[in-house]
């Protein structure tokens, strides 16, 4: 497919996701009062402990990132854990700031004598790694009312998140959106910058059986399509069986195959005894019998009988069926 005119949702600049974030910022700003850009002392800035994207950078990790030799050794290592990748990208951002400065202010709000980060925590830590004493920031006097949604939306686009983390993000967004009515797949997709089909699957899991969500959070289910498919199983016992099989390491296809083995005997029991013959039904009209026999035998080979005599017609019909069974 040509990318000359990419779908609107995936364009950079003015797009569904950037417009949605902009709208969130505007709403939050309107409720929190005016905000302005200023340069803040890095020591006066702190991460928001409620931010789902909080890096939780330890002192040991911070010191390790300052060790150029250790970082270089990690870059050439084949054993890269997800956490190590996050740390190395943070070091890259710090190096970029040293070379080019801070290209975009972070967003903060007043919290006592400090300023808490609404979004831009990675830039904050990178600035500290780069040894910067000051950082440009958009400053609000109050905590923006819709800040959690903004943090969650921004968080969804990290490439290090697994399904469990993304699911928590989606549920956080849905929780904040609940006061405005039920979210649709289209609305959620536009807000999170994803295909409507994926958004509908997230909704199906978020609003579906709790045991499927628990399996997602436990790491048993790591694929969104599998989670949505499991949520669609209405029978509690059958769904529980599938989740148990997945927890044992079976693939979705194998788990479904095992489920079908359980479903088949159940379906046969519901049908009762096996069907051994075809029921032809009944008719009170001898003319119907005559018409059938005439079509098959022809007018010249019809039995000679009184067609108003039901006893005689019934006998002839039975003899006709016996003869047909012999032919077949």
């Amino acid at each position: 497919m040509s990318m000359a005119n990419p779908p609107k949702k995936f364009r950079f600049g003015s797009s569904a996701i950037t417009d949605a974030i902009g709208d969130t910022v505007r709403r939050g700003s309107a409720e929190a009062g005016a905000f302005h850009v200023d340069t803040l002392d890095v020591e006066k800035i702190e991460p928001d402990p409620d931010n789902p994207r909080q890096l939780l950078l330890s002192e040991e990790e911070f010191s390790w990132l300052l060790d150029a030799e250790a970082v270089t050794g990690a870059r050439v290592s084949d054993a890269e854990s997800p956490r190590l990748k996050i740390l190395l990208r943070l070091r890259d951002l710090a190096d970029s700031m040293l070379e080019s400065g801070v290209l975009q202010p972070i967003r903060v709000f007043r919290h006592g004598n400090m300023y808490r980060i609404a979004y831009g925590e990675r830039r904050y830590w990178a600035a500290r790694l780069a040894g910067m004493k000051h950082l440009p920031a958009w400053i609000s006097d109050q905590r923006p009312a819709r800040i959690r949604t903004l943090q969650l939306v921004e968080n969804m686009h990290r490439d290090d998140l697994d399904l469990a983390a993304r699911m928590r993000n989606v549920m956080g967004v849905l929780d904040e959106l609940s006061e405005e009515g039920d979210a649709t797949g289209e609305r959620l997709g536009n807000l999170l910058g994803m295909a409507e089909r994926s958004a509908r699957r997230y909704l199906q899991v978020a609003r579906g059986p709790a045991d499927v969500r628990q399996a997602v959070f436990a790491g048993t289910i790591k694929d969104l399509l599998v989670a949505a498919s499991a949520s669609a199983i209405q029978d509690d016992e059958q769904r529980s069986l599938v989740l148990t099989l997945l927890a044992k390491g079976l693939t979705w296809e194998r788990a479904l195959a095992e489920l079908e083995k359980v479903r088949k005997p159940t379906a046969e029991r519901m049908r009762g005894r096996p069907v051994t013959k075809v029921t032809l039904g009944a008719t009170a009209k001898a003319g119907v019998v005559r018409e059938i026999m005439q079509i098959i035998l022809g007018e010249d080979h019809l039995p000679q009988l009184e067609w108003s005599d039901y006893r005689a017609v019934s006998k002839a019909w039975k003899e006709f069926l016996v003869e047909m069974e012999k032919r077949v």
Side-chain angles (χ1 to χ4, degrees):
M1 181 178 69
S2 174
M3 293 302 292
N5 294 298
K8 183 178 180 182
K9 290 181 182 177
F10 300 100
R11 269 190 208 122
F12 292 100
S14 179
S15 65
I17 180 62
T18 54
D19 290 346
I21 290 178
D23 181 61
T24 301
V25 172
R26 287 190 292 273
R27 291 190 192 185
S29 300
E31 297 177 19
F35 60 92
H36 60 283
V37 178
D38 202 347
T39 301
L40 297 178
D41 186 338
V42 172
E43 297 299 323
K44 299 288 290 182
I45 303 172
E46 63 181 8
D48 180 1
D50 295 326
N51 185 351
R53 197 183 184 183
Q54 190 178 14
L55 290 177
L56 298 174
L57 196 65
S58 67
E59 291 184 9
E60 182 180 359
E61 288 175 328
F62 189 85
S63 298
W64 181 84
L65 284 168
L66 293 174
D67 187 337
E69 185 176 345
V71 171
T72 301
R75 292 189 189 281
V76 298
S77 173
D78 293 332
E80 283 195 4
S81 67
R83 183 63 176 178
L84 180 58
K85 291 180 180 180
I86 293 174
L87 297 177
L88 292 178
R89 284 197 292 268
L90 191 59
R91 182 65 254 182
D92 290 339
L93 181 57
D95 294 339
S96 175
M97 286 183 173
L98 283 171
E99 182 177 344
S100 306
V102 182
L103 301 180
Q104 183 181 6
I106 65 173
R107 177 75 182 272
V108 300
F109 58 94
R110 292 184 185 274
H111 185 80
N113 296 324
M114 300 290 288
Y115 295 91
R116 281 196 170 172
I117 302 171
Y119 60 89
E121 186 179 334
R122 289 182 69 252
R123 275 167 281 160
Y124 159 76
W125 284 112
R128 287 190 56 181
L129 286 171
M132 295 182 174
K133 301 299 182 183
H134 300 90
L135 194 60
W138 291 90
I139 304 171
S140 299
D141 291 333
Q142 303 174 37
R143 178 185 181 277
R146 298 177 61 83
I147 188 60
R148 193 65 62 242
T149 294
L150 180 60
Q151 291 171 338
L152 290 164
V153 169
E154 184 187 33
N155 195 33
M156 280 295 292
H157 294 274
R158 288 170 52 186
D159 56 11
D160 61 300
L161 294 185
D162 57 14
L163 177 61
R166 294 182 187 278
M167 196 68 237
R168 289 190 179 94
N169 284 345
V170 169
M171 294 184 71
V173 171
L174 292 175
D175 185 56
E176 286 210 340
L177 293 179
S178 62
E179 59 191 52
E180 301 178 14
D182 287 341
T184 64
E186 181 181 9
R187 183 184 179 199
L188 185 64
N190 286 338
L191 181 61
L192 297 179
M194 65 173 60
E196 183 178 344
R197 179 174 57 182
S198 295
R200 290 185 183 279
R201 288 172 180 166
Y202 277 113
L203 282 175
Q204 186 173 7
V205 178
R207 295 169 175 170
D211 53 0
V212 176
R213 291 193 298 277
Q214 291 170 359
V216 170
F217 296 145
T220 300
I221 298 179
K222 300 180 180 180
D223 182 86
L224 177 59
L225 178 57
V226 171
S229 300
S231 296
I233 301 176
Q234 299 298 316
D235 187 280
D236 292 345
E237 292 186 4
Q238 293 182 4
R239 188 177 62 252
S240 178
L241 172 62
V242 168
L243 295 179
T244 299
L245 294 173
L246 291 175
K248 291 181 178 179
L250 271 69
T251 64
W252 172 251
E253 291 75 15
R254 286 282 307 280
L256 279 187
E258 292 299 318
L259 177 60
E260 286 304 313
K261 293 179 182 178
V262 174
R263 283 176 170 171
K264 188 174 181 180
T266 301
E268 289 179 350
R269 286 195 299 271
M270 291 177 64
R271 287 196 298 266
R273 292 182 300 174
V275 177
T276 58
K277 63 180 180 180
V278 177
T279 301
L280 299 179
T283 178
K285 296 182 178 181
V288 173
V289 176
R290 187 183 190 282
E291 182 73 16
I292 295 173
M293 295 174 69
Q294 180 182 344
I295 292 173
I296 296 175
L297 301 175
E299 181 70 31
D300 295 338
H301 294 86
L302 280 175
Q304 299 298 316
L305 52 85
E306 180 58 53
W307 290 97
S308 61
D309 183 347
Y310 282 90
R311 187 181 299 275
V313 172
S314 296
K315 183 180 179 181
W317 176 249
K318 290 179 181 178
E319 293 174 351
F320 168 76
L321 291 178
V322 170
E323 185 63 28
M324 289 301 300
E325 285 182 348
K326 289 180 180 179
R327 294 185 184 184
V328 173

